[in-house]
């Protein structure tokens, strides 16, 4: 399994590094909360097996963005340093989940040990910062598809397995600036063309580039 912050590191080198580092291996059962919004980010969590759901909440709408992360994904990297060092999402285990945790102080020692770790971390942050810009370049103007596309994929990670915009039709229509009838007609058309999946919680978006 390739961990994003340890790219280009041989398994032997990584094993030697982890032997010198205080590392916790944690297991979570289905439905257990790994972190909550506004908890302090004190460590990096690498998903070794299983899947987690990150849920981002909008302050002014009753809408959430869910993303599913699986093996190899890292939790907490974007908020480990900087002005905002709190989790911006609720993180829940989906089924059994195994995590490797490295505390912030120990990860700082890793960064200082070799420039390749700093380079990996900078590349990770840069990719996250550039993702929203790349999405916005494809936006063609106002509309339901563009509103949902921008919302969902601005919050979510590039390694997310699935992304969902969770909310009822009335609240999603309000966010998109259209009537409920217009939103329902749009949703029916997207379903007919197999571009979205709908359940009671909301809308799964298959790709930021598929919506119309």
């Amino acid at each position: 399994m390739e961990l994003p912050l340890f790219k280009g590191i041989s398994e032997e080198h990584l094993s030697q590094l982890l032997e010198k580092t205080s590392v916790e291996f944690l297991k979570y059962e289905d439905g257990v909360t790994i972190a909550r919004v506004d908890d302090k980010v004190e460590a990096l969590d690498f998903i070794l097996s299983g899947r987690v759901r990150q849920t981002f909440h909008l302050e002014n709408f009753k809408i959430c963005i869910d993303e599913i992360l699986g093996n190899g994904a890292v939790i907490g990297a974007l908020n480990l340093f900087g002005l905002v060092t709190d989790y911006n999402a609720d993180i829940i285990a989906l089924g059994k989940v195994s995590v490797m945790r490295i505390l912030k102080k120990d990860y700082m020692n890793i960064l200082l040990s070799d420039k390749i770790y700093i380079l990996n971390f900078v590349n990770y942050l840069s990719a996250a910062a550039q993702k929203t810009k790349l999405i916005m370049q494809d936006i063609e103007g106002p509309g339901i598809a563009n509103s949902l596309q921008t919302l969902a994929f601005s919050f979510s990670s590039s390694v997310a397995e699935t992304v969902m915009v969770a909310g009822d039709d009335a609240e999603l229509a309000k966010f998109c600036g259209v009537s409920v009838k217009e939103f329902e007609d749009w949703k029916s058309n997207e379903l007919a063309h197999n571009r979205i999946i709908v359940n009671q919680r909301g809308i799964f978006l298959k790709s930021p580039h598929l919506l119309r």
Side-chain angles (χ1 to χ4, degrees):
M1 177 192 307
E2 187 174 78
L3 302 176
L5 300 184
F6 296 107
K7 285 185 176 180
I9 310 299
S10 69
E11 289 188 15
E12 181 182 358
H13 189 172
L14 182 57
S15 296
Q16 292 173 354
L17 175 71
L18 295 179
E19 285 176 4
K20 303 173 186 177
T21 306
S22 178
V23 176
E24 287 184 89
F25 291 94
L26 307 173
K27 293 186 181 296
Y28 297 94
E29 295 296 320
D30 181 47
V32 171
T33 297
I34 297 172
R36 291 185 174 87
V37 171
D38 295 334
D39 285 352
K40 207 72 175 173
V41 179
E42 301 286 2
L44 294 176
D45 285 344
F46 297 88
I47 301 174
L48 301 180
S49 66
R51 298 156 72 236
V52 305
R53 182 179 68 227
Q54 287 201 129
T55 300
F56 303 90
H57 305 268
L58 297 190
E59 291 187 7
N60 299 318
F61 295 88
K62 295 176 182 177
I63 294 173
C64 301
I65 297 87
D66 291 344
E67 67 169 349
I68 307 301
L69 301 176
N71 295 0
V74 59
I75 301 169
L78 297 182
N79 298 82
L80 193 63
F81 305 107
L83 295 176
V84 179
T85 55
D86 300 331
Y87 288 99
N88 59 352
D90 294 318
I91 305 170
I92 307 292
L94 299 178
K96 294 181 182 295
V97 177
S98 296
V99 166
M100 179 178 73
R101 174 168 292 173
I102 302 177
L103 295 178
K104 180 177 181 178
K105 61 182 180 63
D106 295 315
Y107 184 64
M108 288 181 67
N109 290 332
I110 291 174
L111 290 177
L112 295 172
S113 70
D114 194 309
K115 63 182 180 182
I116 192 171
Y117 301 117
I118 296 177
L119 181 61
N120 278 339
F121 190 64
V122 170
N123 285 340
Y124 183 88
L125 297 180
S126 296
Q130 293 167 4
K131 181 172 68 72
T132 301
K133 180 180 178 181
L134 293 174
I135 291 170
M136 293 302 294
Q137 287 176 339
D138 289 336
I139 297 299
E140 297 176 354
I144 298 172
N146 289 329
S147 296
L148 295 182
Q149 173 181 311
T150 304
L151 173 64
F153 293 94
S154 294
F155 276 94
S156 63
S157 164
S158 59
V159 299
E161 293 181 4
T162 59
V163 180
M164 165 180 268
V165 179
D168 62 29
D169 285 358
E171 200 67 14
L172 293 173
K174 178 182 174 184
F175 175 82
C176 295
V178 299
S179 69
V180 175
K181 176 66 165 57
E182 286 176 285
F183 186 83
E184 289 175 342
D185 289 345
W186 172 85
K187 187 169 71 171
S188 296
N189 183 64
E190 295 298 295
L191 274 170
H193 288 85
N194 197 33
R195 290 192 285 256
I196 60 174
I197 300 172
V198 175
N199 67 12
Q200 291 182 338
R201 183 168 168 81
I203 300 174
F204 283 102
L205 306 181
K206 293 187 173 183
S207 164
H209 305 295
L210 283 179
L211 303 185
R212 295 292 183 268

